[in-house]
């Protein structure tokens, strides 16, 4: 299978000029000016990108792909994600996770959905565990899960500083982190700990304490929802300035919050002004999870489903509203998550990497075309591949 994308402005995510890209099967084979193969050859698919932006496929590294929630009773359990929702959002690599509910939802079910998405044509991985401690695994051991199950990259989302957490003591988190790290080392994987940080006063205290007294490196942890409130956002500044990774959640934001510092595109701008290296920042959607609202007493008042489309929307807002350069803004959903998760063939648009890419309209940054592992999923806004039951 040969595909040539002609005349695109290539962001890999750094800008490398106007070039053609030749895809052979599921890999990027060649990037240069004027690639010409006999165009009468019916085996070559030509896509004219004509000045549009060609960028790496997006990575969303925190999605409740089997559904989430249930925090308002059983009828509030959110449904599984549809394959096409990911495609329309430009997401060619997804990492699935469980959240509050580790009882009616299981790691086995999450693994099956992860494999289903792979079979449907995108790249998919998962974290083992859910909010609670001890971390509930598939094989009975964190290390074993990471070493023996290809799709498992680490543990998550384990919850701290939250009224919905299992109120772990610091040792539980420390031991789980150690296991994830060693499992990662043995399997040549990231072995990261994706940490859900809640609204509680303790914020990032557990992480700082563990980092101070153990040899576990700071980058082993990826704390998420750092933009959930101003105080946590401020704590995150210190944490990131010390070299820590921070993740902003995009689906909890909406247009009412345009001027709020906690809107991810605004948070990104703020962190860059604070001198934080953009390589330390990622966005994830928290898609398909429920977005519960609680009052001051911690009582549940309402619910909605998180959208994966929020992932790129916030990057777009960072570029169009906050004037962050496209090559920079793209990093938080391409190169950075690929580096953090050690997905060596992802996140960059270079020769030899996986043929995962998105073509964006050069006027309004609208997603036009999506290619995953060399397969055209969306072309000129038209869906070419659907999920099995869509
Ligand atoms: Zn969470």
């Amino acid at each position: 299978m040969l595909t040539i994308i002609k005349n695109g402005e290539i962001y890999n995510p750094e800008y490398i000029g106007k070039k053609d890209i030749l895809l052979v099967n599921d890999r990027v084979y060649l990037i240069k000016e004027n690639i010409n193969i006999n165009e009468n050859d019916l085996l070559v698919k030509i896509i004219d990108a004509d000045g549009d932006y060609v960028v790496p496929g997006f990575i969303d590294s925190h999605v409740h792909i089997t559904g989430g929630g249930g925090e308002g009773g059983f009828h509030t359990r959110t449904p599984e994600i549809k394959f096409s929702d990911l495609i329309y959002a430009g997401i060619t690599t997804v990492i699935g996770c469980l959240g509050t509910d580790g009882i009616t939802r299981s790691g086995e079910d999450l693994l099956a959905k992860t494999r289903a998405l792979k079979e449907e044509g995108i790249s998919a991985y998962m974290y083992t565990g859910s909010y609670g401690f001890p971390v509930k695994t598939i094989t009975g051991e964190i290390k074993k899960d990471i070493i023996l199950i290809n799709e498992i990259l680490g543990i998550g989302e384990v919850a701290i500083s939250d009224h919905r957490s299992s109120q772990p003591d610091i040792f539980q988190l420390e031991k789980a982190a150690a296991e994830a790290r060693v499992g990662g080392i043995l399997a040549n994987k990231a072995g990261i700990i994706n940490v859900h940080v809640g609204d509680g006063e303790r914020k990032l205290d557990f992480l700082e304490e563990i980092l101070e007294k153990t040899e576990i490196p700071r980058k082993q942890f990826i704390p998420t929802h750092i933009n959930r409130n101003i105080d946590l956002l401020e704590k995150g500044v210190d944490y990131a300035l010390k070299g820590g990774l921070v993740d902003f959640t995009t689906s909890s934001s909406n247009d009412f919050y345009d001027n709020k510092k906690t809107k991810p595109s605004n948070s990104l701008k703020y962190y860059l002004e604070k001198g934080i290296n953009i390589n330390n920042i990622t966005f994830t959607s928290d898609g398909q999870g429920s977005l519960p609202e609680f009052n001051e007493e911690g009582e549940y008042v309402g619910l909605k489903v998180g959208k994966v489309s929020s992932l790129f929307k916030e990057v777009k807002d960072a570029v169009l509203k906050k004037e962050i350069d496209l090559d920079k803004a793209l990093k938080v959903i391409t190169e950075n998550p690929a580096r953090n998760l050690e997905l060596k063939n992802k996140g960059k648009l270079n020769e030899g990497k996986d043929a995962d890419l998105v073509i964006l309209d050069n006027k309004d940054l609208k997603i036009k075309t999506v290619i995953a592992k060399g397969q055209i999923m969306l072309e000129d806004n038209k869906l070419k591949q659907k999920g099995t039951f869509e």
Side-chain angles (χ1 to χ4, degrees):
M1 196 166 71
L2 301 178
T3 307
I4 302 178
I5 298 147
K6 306 274 305 173
N7 298 314
E9 303 281 355
I10 319 281
Y11 288 81
N12 84 347
E14 249 125 68
Y15 179 65
I16 57 166
K18 192 170 189 167
K19 292 181 177 13
D20 295 350
I21 304 177
L22 170 64
L23 310 178
V24 178
N25 296 328
D26 58 352
R27 292 295 171 106
V28 176
Y29 188 75
L30 189 64
I31 302 177
K32 71 180 202 59
E33 278 151 51
N34 296 318
I35 298 173
N36 283 307
I37 291 180
N38 182 0
E39 298 194 8
N40 293 324
D41 188 342
L42 290 177
L43 293 171
V44 185
K45 164 82 181 169
I46 309 279
I47 295 175
D48 191 1
D50 192 28
D52 282 337
Y53 304 139
V54 185
V55 308
F58 307 149
I59 301 170
D60 193 342
S61 47
H62 187 113
V63 182
H64 297 283
I65 57 175
T66 54
E71 288 161 339
F74 297 114
H75 70 287
T76 65
R77 297 167 85 254
T78 65
E80 279 192 4
I81 197 154
K82 283 197 298 188
F83 181 73
S84 58
D85 285 344
L86 292 162
I87 298 305
Y88 281 123
I91 295 161
T92 55
T93 301
V94 68
I95 291 86
C97 61
L98 299 180
T100 329
D101 184 359
I103 298 294
T104 77
R105 298 183 191 279
S106 68
E108 289 84 348
D109 182 43
L110 182 63
L111 179 60
K113 178 69 180 177
T114 302
R115 288 181 176 165
L117 291 170
K118 284 166 71 177
E119 287 174 9
E120 289 175 330
I122 62 167
S123 301
Y125 302 89
M126 62 177 273
Y127 299 129
T128 191
S130 56
Y131 270 19
F133 289 87
V135 175
K136 220 172 166 184
T137 60
I138 294 177
T139 62
E141 249 184 80
I142 291 170
K143 247 187 290 187
K144 241 186 192 176
D145 269 21
I146 295 173
I147 294 168
L148 299 182
I149 302 173
N150 276 342
E151 290 84 353
I152 296 181
L153 301 178
I155 60 175
E157 58 171 321
V158 292
I160 60 167
S161 310
D162 196 304
H163 65 101
R164 295 163 293 172
S165 75
S166 61
Q167 303 302 341
D169 59 43
I170 194 162
F171 279 116
Q172 286 179 296
L173 178 59
E174 191 178 307
K175 294 292 168 213
E179 277 212 48
R181 174 167 174 78
V182 175
I185 288 170
L186 290 170
N188 195 18
K189 288 179 176 177
I192 63 102
I193 303 97
N194 187 221
V195 185
H196 160 110
V197 187
D199 276 324
E201 271 311 304
R202 289 172 291 178
K203 299 187 175 65
L204 297 164
D205 291 354
F206 270 24
L207 299 190
E208 292 289 12
E209 216 179 306
I210 290 171
L211 292 167
E212 202 170 17
K213 70 171 188 184
T214 74
E215 298 77 17
I216 298 171
R218 195 167 278 266
K219 291 208 163 105
Q220 206 70 37
F221 294 96
I222 305 180
T224 186
H225 315 318
I226 297 302
N227 60 319
R228 77 181 310 139
N229 62 52
I230 288 285
D231 292 346
L232 185 58
L233 194 70
E234 293 296 346
K235 281 277 176 195
V237 170
D238 300 331
Y239 184 83
L241 283 172
K242 289 183 200 160
L245 305 173
V246 287
D247 184 54
F248 298 148
T249 301
T250 58
S251 65
S252 45
S253 155
N254 65 44
D255 292 335
F256 294 119
Y257 297 107
D258 248 12
N259 296 317
K260 288 205 171 161
K261 233 186 202 171
T262 51
K263 180 179 155 64
S265 44
N266 299 350
S267 306
L268 177 62
K269 179 88 179 171
Y270 176 61
Y271 269 41
L272 295 178
E273 284 165 1
K274 286 279 180 184
I276 292 161
N277 188 333
I278 192 150
N279 290 346
N280 290 41
I281 305 169
T282 50
F283 284 4
T284 57
S285 72
D286 203 6
Q288 217 65 15
S290 63
L291 295 173
E293 287 174 293
F294 296 96
N295 65 18
E296 269 137 45
E297 273 75 52
E299 287 160 345
Y300 162 85
V301 289
L303 198 64
K304 50 186 183 165
V305 178
K307 287 196 167 77
V308 287
S309 57
S310 62
L311 185 78
F312 182 62
K313 186 193 176 289
E314 283 299 325
V315 169
K316 200 156 79 171
D317 284 356
V319 176
L320 300 177
K321 296 182 182 168
K322 304 314 282 181
E323 291 169 345
I324 296 172
D325 293 336
L326 178 64
D327 58 344
K328 230 176 183 190
L330 280 170
K331 281 186 162 198
V332 302
I333 58 168
T334 60
E335 194 182 337
N336 294 355
R339 184 190 318 107
N340 296 346
L341 300 174
E342 295 184 22
L343 300 175
K344 296 169 187 79
N345 290 320
K346 303 292 184 191
K348 300 271 276 176
L349 202 47
N350 288 339
E351 290 163 4
K353 301 280 183 191
D354 286 352
D356 295 338
L357 58 90
V358 174
I359 303 177
L360 303 169
D361 193 303
N362 62 14
K363 288 177 285 296
D364 55 7
L365 298 185
K366 198 170 178 272
I367 295 171
K368 284 170 95 170
T369 296
V370 177
I371 297 178
K373 294 203 134 197
Q375 262 198 79
I376 300 170
M377 299 293 177
L378 185 82
E379 187 176 13
D380 275 327
N381 307 314
K382 279 190 276 303
L383 194 65
K384 294 288 175 181
Q385 295 282 337
K386 290 181 185 170
T388 312
F389 297 107
E390 291 188 55

